[in-house]
Amino acid sequence: MKHVILTPNPYRDTNFQTVRAAMKVLKDAGMEPKLCLPFEVDRSYELPKDLRFHKLDRELQNAELVVCFGGDGTILHMAKAATRKNVPILGVNIGTMGFMAELESTELDQLARLAKDDYVLDRRMMLDVVVQRDRDIIFHDIGLNDVVITKGAIARITHLAVKCDGVEAIQCGGDGVIVATPTGSTAYSLSAGGPIVEPEANNILITPICAHDVMSRCIVASDRRTITVELVRNARRNAYLSVDGGKALRLNMGDVVTIKRSPLQTKLIRLKDRSFYDVVNMKFKKIQG
């Protein structure tokens, strides 16, 4: 491996100290790292003049790996672009949890192993999301973590009908519903009372958010199912959809959200020989202090 893209989150990596150290490790190992911003920064944010930033879309054409510096949000943001180009991702955690990150910022020396192809690939399922309004497709995206449909900031409940392969699974009134992958089981779904699911499992999780009906419980469905979500009735007649925490799309009565397993898979680089349960235990101990 030689051509590596480094995508630091400028709001987390103060003065790009972590990415600078990573560049030195990679260059010393004989690789050719190039810096790219994972997203557009505010115009008021001043980038260091001694660092050269390249165009992400252009560099992804020939890249062999993307190294993300930040939290899980940075990795999720990069996952879509990298996966569409079949480029694997390695996460370096500068955030709080970092479930998807392989390394902490204190373990950058491990990056030298990439030059010798000393790593394994971890393939993660993604979700394909389509929103249909009347006969038109108004939204299409892919997500690694989850699809969230909520009432937004309105202090009223939203009523949603969730179907699996056309058969009603749950009809819940509350703050909304989360449809997640096993990777996303440790994110918002977990906070809403959903189970922790191994990333290797082939499942789609359906987790109601603050459901008023006590019978509304999380469903662990097969990845072969097609999930549809529709608004049943709502005082304001709208809800909001977000994929992997991205920009929200306003949904109207009659819109149909269709969610199924995507043919694309996110590839995560693994350098450590550790169990998923080791990661879970370590992260929760970190939270507890």
Side-chain angles (χ1 to χ4, degrees):
M1 183 176 293
K2 195 168 185 178
H3 302 287
V4 179
I5 295 175
L6 307 184
T7 58
N9 183 331
Y11 302 111
R12 288 190 179 272
D13 190 3
T14 307
N15 198 31
F16 297 89
Q17 292 177 349
T18 306
V19 78
R20 290 174 190 271
M23 287 182 69
K24 184 178 187 310
V25 172
L26 294 171
K27 287 180 178 179
D28 289 347
M31 289 178 277
E32 299 176 357
K34 290 189 177 181
L35 277 179
C36 298
L37 290 174
F39 45 76
E40 291 186 9
V41 299
D42 298 334
R43 291 184 178 180
S44 59
Y45 188 91
E46 188 174 344
L47 294 171
K49 292 182 171 55
D50 62 320
L51 293 178
R52 181 185 177 189
F53 292 89
H54 300 263
K55 295 287 187 180
L56 180 62
D57 290 344
R58 182 182 302 170
E59 296 302 327
L60 275 174
Q61 303 295 331
N62 300 309
E64 297 174 81
L65 170 67
V66 175
V67 183
C68 293
F69 299 82
D72 283 340
T74 308
I75 296 176
L76 289 173
H77 188 86
M78 274 304 309
K80 298 179 184 184
T83 299
R84 287 187 173 110
K85 297 296 183 181
N86 198 32
V87 180
I89 297 171
L90 188 151
V92 176
N93 183 38
I94 315 178
T96 305
M97 292 293 283
F99 271 103
M100 284 179 283
E102 179 65 5
L103 301 176
E104 297 295 322
S105 58
T106 56
E107 301 175 307
L108 297 179
D109 58 309
Q110 295 287 322
L111 293 173
R113 294 168 53 187
L114 297 171
K116 301 177 181 178
D117 294 334
D118 182 15
Y119 61 85
V120 296
L121 277 179
D122 181 7
R123 300 175 186 272
R124 300 290 183 91
M125 69 171 280
M126 301 189 80
L127 296 174
D128 184 273
V129 190
V130 170
V131 178
Q132 184 170 340
R133 179 171 296 166
D134 298 324
R135 296 183 179 181
D136 298 324
I137 302 297
I138 64 167
F139 180 86
H140 185 201
D141 201 0
I142 55 175
L144 175 58
N145 249 16
D146 51 35
V147 181
V148 179
I149 300 171
T150 66
K151 65 181 180 59
I154 301 171
R156 292 181 173 90
I157 66 174
T158 185
H159 296 268
L160 301 171
V162 183
K163 298 179 181 179
C164 292
D165 290 347
V167 180
E168 186 170 291
I170 55 174
Q171 187 172 135
C172 59
D175 285 1
V177 69
I178 304 162
V179 181
T181 65
T183 298
S185 71
T186 52
Y188 193 5
S189 177
L190 179 63
S191 300
I196 294 176
V197 180
E198 293 186 17
E200 292 82 4
N202 296 316
N203 296 113
I204 298 176
L205 283 67
I206 306 169
T207 308
I209 308 170
C210 298
H212 285 219
D213 180 1
V214 295
M215 297 305 293
S216 294
R217 290 291 181 265
C218 177
I219 294 176
V220 181
S222 164
D223 66 329
R224 298 188 299 274
R225 304 299 174 210
T226 297
I227 314 298
T228 56
V229 183
E230 299 179 59
L231 277 73
V232 178
R233 52 190 171 87
N234 189 283
R236 291 296 183 93
R237 294 184 175 272
N238 60 62
Y240 297 87
L241 175 145
S242 177
V243 179
D244 282 351
K247 185 178 179 180
L249 170 73
R250 179 171 173 166
L251 300 174
N252 298 331
M253 288 291 292
D255 290 353
V256 179
V257 181
T258 301
I259 305 163
K260 59 185 179 181
R261 179 168 184 164
S262 170
L264 300 176
Q265 292 181 311
T266 294
K267 298 177 182 177
L268 298 179
I269 292 283
R270 293 300 178 210
L271 296 172
K272 302 176 183 177
D273 183 16
R274 59 180 180 175
S275 164
F276 167 69
Y277 301 101
D278 290 330
V279 176
V280 171
N281 289 331
M282 179 184 68
K283 298 300 180 181
F284 283 119
K285 285 179 181 177
K286 184 177 180 181
I287 292 178
Q288 296 169 1

